[in-house]
Short mmCIF file of all heavy atoms in Angstrom, two decimals:
data_model
loop_
_atom_site.label_atom_id
_atom_site.label_comp_id
_atom_site.label_asym_id
_atom_site.label_seq_id
_atom_site.Cartn_x
_atom_site.Cartn_y
_atom_site.Cartn_z
N ALA T 1 129.38 110.93 51.72
CA ALA T 1 128.74 109.97 52.73
C ALA T 1 128.91 108.45 52.27
O ALA T 1 128.37 108.19 51.26
CB ALA T 1 127.18 110.16 53.01
N LEU T 2 129.80 107.69 52.90
CA LEU T 2 129.87 106.30 52.57
C LEU T 2 129.61 105.52 53.76
O LEU T 2 129.72 105.78 54.90
CB LEU T 2 131.33 106.09 52.19
CG LEU T 2 131.93 106.88 51.01
CD1 LEU T 2 133.45 106.56 50.88
CD2 LEU T 2 131.22 106.48 49.76
N GLN T 3 129.16 104.18 53.44
CA GLN T 3 128.92 103.32 54.47
C GLN T 3 130.27 102.85 55.04
O GLN T 3 131.28 102.58 54.34
CB GLN T 3 128.17 102.12 53.80
CG GLN T 3 127.45 101.17 54.81
CD GLN T 3 126.47 100.37 54.02
OE1 GLN T 3 125.44 100.87 53.59
NE2 GLN T 3 126.68 99.10 53.89
N PRO T 4 130.36 102.77 56.38
CA PRO T 4 131.54 102.32 56.98
C PRO T 4 131.86 100.77 56.74
O PRO T 4 131.03 100.08 56.48
CB PRO T 4 131.36 102.58 58.40
CG PRO T 4 129.98 102.57 58.65
CD PRO T 4 129.25 103.04 57.35
N ASN T 5 133.25 100.50 57.07
CA ASN T 5 133.53 99.05 57.09
C ASN T 5 132.85 98.38 58.18
O ASN T 5 132.50 98.97 59.12
CB ASN T 5 134.95 98.87 57.16
CG ASN T 5 135.80 99.13 55.80
OD1 ASN T 5 135.79 100.29 55.30
ND2 ASN T 5 136.26 98.13 55.28
N PHE T 6 132.78 96.95 58.06
CA PHE T 6 132.08 96.17 59.01
C PHE T 6 130.53 96.40 59.04
O PHE T 6 129.76 96.07 60.02
CB PHE T 6 132.63 96.35 60.43
CG PHE T 6 134.17 96.01 60.57
CD1 PHE T 6 134.90 97.05 61.01
CD2 PHE T 6 134.64 94.77 60.11
CE1 PHE T 6 136.26 96.77 61.03
CE2 PHE T 6 136.00 94.45 60.30
CZ PHE T 6 136.91 95.51 60.75
N VAL T 7 130.00 97.05 57.95
CA VAL T 7 128.68 97.26 57.81
C VAL T 7 128.16 96.82 56.56
O VAL T 7 128.53 97.26 55.47
CB VAL T 7 128.24 98.72 57.99
CG1 VAL T 7 126.80 99.00 57.65
CG2 VAL T 7 128.58 99.26 59.44
N GLN T 8 127.33 95.71 56.45
CA GLN T 8 126.75 95.25 55.19
C GLN T 8 125.44 96.04 54.70
O GLN T 8 125.39 96.35 53.49
CB GLN T 8 126.45 93.80 55.31
CG GLN T 8 125.76 93.08 54.10
CD GLN T 8 126.86 92.74 53.18
OE1 GLN T 8 128.07 93.12 53.32
NE2 GLN T 8 126.50 92.06 52.12
N TYR T 9 124.61 96.43 55.71
CA TYR T 9 123.41 97.17 55.41
C TYR T 9 123.28 98.27 56.29
O TYR T 9 123.51 98.10 57.59
CB TYR T 9 122.09 96.22 55.42
CG TYR T 9 122.27 94.74 54.96
CD1 TYR T 9 122.04 93.67 55.88
CD2 TYR T 9 122.47 94.42 53.70
CE1 TYR T 9 122.21 92.39 55.61
CE2 TYR T 9 122.55 93.19 53.28
CZ TYR T 9 122.42 92.05 54.22
OH TYR T 9 122.63 90.82 53.80
N TRP T 10 122.76 99.38 55.87
CA TRP T 10 122.51 100.60 56.65
C TRP T 10 121.14 101.16 56.18
O TRP T 10 120.24 100.41 56.22
CB TRP T 10 123.63 101.62 56.60
CG TRP T 10 124.18 102.00 57.99
CD1 TRP T 10 124.00 101.30 59.05
CD2 TRP T 10 125.03 103.04 58.29
NE1 TRP T 10 124.75 101.78 60.17
CE2 TRP T 10 125.38 102.90 59.65
CE3 TRP T 10 125.67 104.02 57.54
CZ2 TRP T 10 126.18 103.76 60.26
CZ3 TRP T 10 126.63 104.87 58.12
CH2 TRP T 10 126.77 104.74 59.58
N GLY T 11 121.14 102.32 55.77
CA GLY T 11 119.83 102.77 55.14
C GLY T 11 118.87 103.11 56.14
O GLY T 11 119.06 103.62 57.27
N ILE T 12 117.59 103.04 55.74
CA ILE T 12 116.37 103.49 56.45
C ILE T 12 115.85 102.36 57.24
O ILE T 12 115.61 101.23 56.73
CB ILE T 12 115.38 104.16 55.60
CG1 ILE T 12 115.99 105.43 54.94
CG2 ILE T 12 114.12 104.49 56.37
CD1 ILE T 12 115.08 106.10 53.88
N PHE T 13 115.41 102.63 58.54
CA PHE T 13 114.74 101.70 59.33
C PHE T 13 113.41 102.21 59.88
O PHE T 13 113.38 103.20 60.51
CB PHE T 13 115.60 101.43 60.56
CG PHE T 13 117.05 100.74 60.22
CD1 PHE T 13 117.96 101.67 59.97
CD2 PHE T 13 117.30 99.49 60.09
CE1 PHE T 13 119.33 101.19 59.49
CE2 PHE T 13 118.56 98.99 59.72
CZ PHE T 13 119.51 99.87 59.56
N PHE T 14 112.34 101.53 59.34
CA PHE T 14 111.02 101.89 59.76
C PHE T 14 110.55 101.25 61.03
O PHE T 14 110.90 100.07 61.41
CB PHE T 14 110.04 101.48 58.74
CG PHE T 14 110.17 102.13 57.37
CD1 PHE T 14 110.58 101.25 56.33
CD2 PHE T 14 110.13 103.41 57.19
CE1 PHE T 14 110.85 101.85 55.02
CE2 PHE T 14 110.27 104.05 55.94
CZ PHE T 14 110.73 103.12 54.85
N ASP T 15 109.77 101.90 61.87
CA ASP T 15 109.15 101.20 63.04
C ASP T 15 108.14 100.00 62.50
O ASP T 15 107.78 100.10 61.40
CB ASP T 15 108.37 102.17 63.92
CG ASP T 15 108.21 101.68 65.29
OD1 ASP T 15 108.54 100.51 65.70
OD2 ASP T 15 107.64 102.43 66.08
N LYS T 16 107.98 99.16 63.39
CA LYS T 16 106.99 98.09 63.06
C LYS T 16 105.63 98.60 63.46
O LYS T 16 105.17 98.81 64.51
CB LYS T 16 107.31 96.84 63.90
CG LYS T 16 106.47 95.56 63.57
CD LYS T 16 106.80 94.39 64.34
CE LYS T 16 106.00 93.19 63.90
NZ LYS T 16 106.38 92.10 64.73
N ILE T 17 104.84 98.76 62.27
CA ILE T 17 103.45 99.27 62.46
C ILE T 17 102.53 98.53 61.58
O ILE T 17 102.82 98.11 60.55
CB ILE T 17 103.39 100.82 61.88
CG1 ILE T 17 104.35 101.65 62.65
CG2 ILE T 17 102.05 101.32 61.88
CD1 ILE T 17 104.50 103.11 62.13
N ASN T 18 101.44 98.21 62.17
CA ASN T 18 100.34 97.48 61.45
C ASN T 18 99.44 98.43 60.70
O ASN T 18 98.77 99.29 61.23
CB ASN T 18 99.52 96.57 62.36
CG ASN T 18 100.36 95.53 62.99
OD1 ASN T 18 101.26 94.92 62.34
ND2 ASN T 18 100.20 95.14 64.16
N PHE T 19 99.36 98.30 59.39
CA PHE T 19 98.59 99.11 58.61
C PHE T 19 97.29 98.37 58.06
O PHE T 19 97.41 97.07 57.95
CB PHE T 19 99.31 99.73 57.40
CG PHE T 19 100.41 100.64 57.71
CD1 PHE T 19 101.66 100.26 57.96
CD2 PHE T 19 100.20 102.00 57.82
CE1 PHE T 19 102.77 101.07 58.38
CE2 PHE T 19 101.23 102.94 58.15
CZ PHE T 19 102.44 102.41 58.36
N GLN T 20 96.23 99.12 57.74
CA GLN T 20 94.98 98.45 57.35
C GLN T 20 95.09 98.02 55.85
O GLN T 20 94.32 97.15 55.44
CB GLN T 20 93.87 99.35 57.59
CG GLN T 20 93.46 99.65 58.92
CD GLN T 20 92.34 100.61 59.14
OE1 GLN T 20 91.85 101.26 58.21
NE2 GLN T 20 91.84 100.60 60.37
N SER T 21 96.00 98.48 55.15
CA SER T 21 96.07 98.24 53.77
C SER T 21 97.53 98.50 53.29
O SER T 21 98.23 99.27 53.90
CB SER T 21 95.12 99.02 52.90
OG SER T 21 95.41 100.35 52.78
N SER T 22 97.87 97.87 52.15
CA SER T 22 99.14 98.11 51.51
C SER T 22 99.36 99.62 51.07
O SER T 22 100.34 100.15 51.08
CB SER T 22 99.29 97.21 50.30
OG SER T 22 100.44 96.63 50.15
N TYR T 23 98.21 100.12 50.49
CA TYR T 23 98.30 101.50 50.06
C TYR T 23 98.61 102.51 51.18
O TYR T 23 99.51 103.34 51.05
CB TYR T 23 96.90 101.88 49.51
CG TYR T 23 96.80 103.28 49.16
CD1 TYR T 23 97.38 103.76 47.99
CD2 TYR T 23 96.16 104.23 49.94
CE1 TYR T 23 97.29 105.18 47.64
CE2 TYR T 23 96.08 105.64 49.81
CZ TYR T 23 96.63 106.11 48.46
OH TYR T 23 96.63 107.32 48.26
N ARG T 24 98.02 102.24 52.40
CA ARG T 24 98.32 103.10 53.49
C ARG T 24 99.79 102.99 53.90
O ARG T 24 100.42 104.01 54.25
CB ARG T 24 97.35 102.92 54.64
CG ARG T 24 95.99 103.33 54.38
CD ARG T 24 95.10 103.18 55.65
NE ARG T 24 93.64 103.77 55.36
CZ ARG T 24 92.81 103.94 56.42
NH1 ARG T 24 93.04 103.53 57.65
NH2 ARG T 24 91.60 104.39 56.07
N GLU T 25 100.22 101.79 53.88
CA GLU T 25 101.47 101.51 54.39
C GLU T 25 102.51 102.23 53.49
O GLU T 25 103.56 102.85 53.86
CB GLU T 25 101.85 99.95 54.38
CG GLU T 25 103.30 99.64 54.73
CD GLU T 25 103.63 98.09 54.56
OE1 GLU T 25 102.77 97.35 54.34
OE2 GLU T 25 104.74 97.75 54.64
N LEU T 26 102.36 102.00 52.09
CA LEU T 26 103.31 102.58 51.17
C LEU T 26 103.21 104.11 51.16
O LEU T 26 104.23 104.81 50.92
CB LEU T 26 103.08 102.03 49.81
CG LEU T 26 103.42 100.43 49.65
CD1 LEU T 26 103.09 99.97 48.37
CD2 LEU T 26 104.84 100.19 50.11
N SER T 27 102.02 104.58 51.39
CA SER T 27 101.90 106.03 51.33
C SER T 27 102.51 106.61 52.63
O SER T 27 103.31 107.73 52.42
CB SER T 27 100.35 106.49 51.44
OG SER T 27 99.74 106.05 50.31
N TRP T 28 102.45 105.97 53.63
CA TRP T 28 103.19 106.45 54.86
C TRP T 28 104.70 106.30 54.58
O TRP T 28 105.48 107.30 55.01
CB TRP T 28 102.87 105.52 56.09
CG TRP T 28 103.48 105.88 57.39
CD1 TRP T 28 103.13 106.89 58.23
CD2 TRP T 28 104.63 105.25 57.97
NE1 TRP T 28 104.01 106.80 59.35
CE2 TRP T 28 104.91 105.94 59.09
CE3 TRP T 28 105.60 104.31 57.60
CZ2 TRP T 28 105.97 105.53 59.99
CZ3 TRP T 28 106.56 103.85 58.31
CH2 TRP T 28 106.88 104.49 59.60
N LYS T 29 105.25 105.21 54.04
CA LYS T 29 106.74 105.11 53.85
C LYS T 29 107.13 106.21 52.82
O LYS T 29 108.29 106.69 52.95
CB LYS T 29 106.98 103.74 53.32
CG LYS T 29 106.87 102.55 54.37
CD LYS T 29 107.30 101.29 53.81
CE LYS T 29 107.21 100.25 54.75
NZ LYS T 29 107.49 98.80 54.25
N ARG T 30 106.18 106.58 51.87
CA ARG T 30 106.58 107.73 50.93
C ARG T 30 106.97 108.86 51.65
O ARG T 30 107.91 109.56 51.35
CB ARG T 30 105.46 107.76 49.91
CG ARG T 30 105.60 108.79 48.81
CD ARG T 30 104.51 108.85 47.91
NE ARG T 30 104.71 109.79 46.80
CZ ARG T 30 104.41 110.98 46.77
NH1 ARG T 30 103.91 111.61 47.76
NH2 ARG T 30 104.65 111.76 45.75
N LYS T 31 106.06 109.31 52.57
CA LYS T 31 106.24 110.54 53.45
C LYS T 31 107.52 110.48 54.11
O LYS T 31 108.34 111.38 54.18
CB LYS T 31 105.08 110.66 54.31
CG LYS T 31 103.75 111.00 53.58
CD LYS T 31 102.62 111.22 54.70
CE LYS T 31 101.22 111.46 54.06
NZ LYS T 31 100.18 111.51 55.03
#
């Protein structure tokens, strides 16, 4: 699996969600 040409960044894209704390945000991202 390689990134295609004409693509600088790919990877994971998270939805925009408002969390009550940094801990909850990072715990969610961990999952």
Side-chain angles (χ1 to χ4, degrees):
L2 297 178
Q3 200 161 286
N5 281 69
F6 304 118
V7 171
Q8 180 78 352
Y9 323 114
W10 237 10
I12 296 174
F13 302 86
F14 302 114
D15 200 356
K16 186 176 182 180
I17 300 174
N18 293 320
F19 293 91
Q20 293 180 348
S21 69
S22 223
Y23 173 77
R24 289 190 177 185
E25 176 188 353
L26 296 178
S27 297
W28 180 84
K29 287 180 177 178
R30 182 179 186 270
K31 292 178 182 177

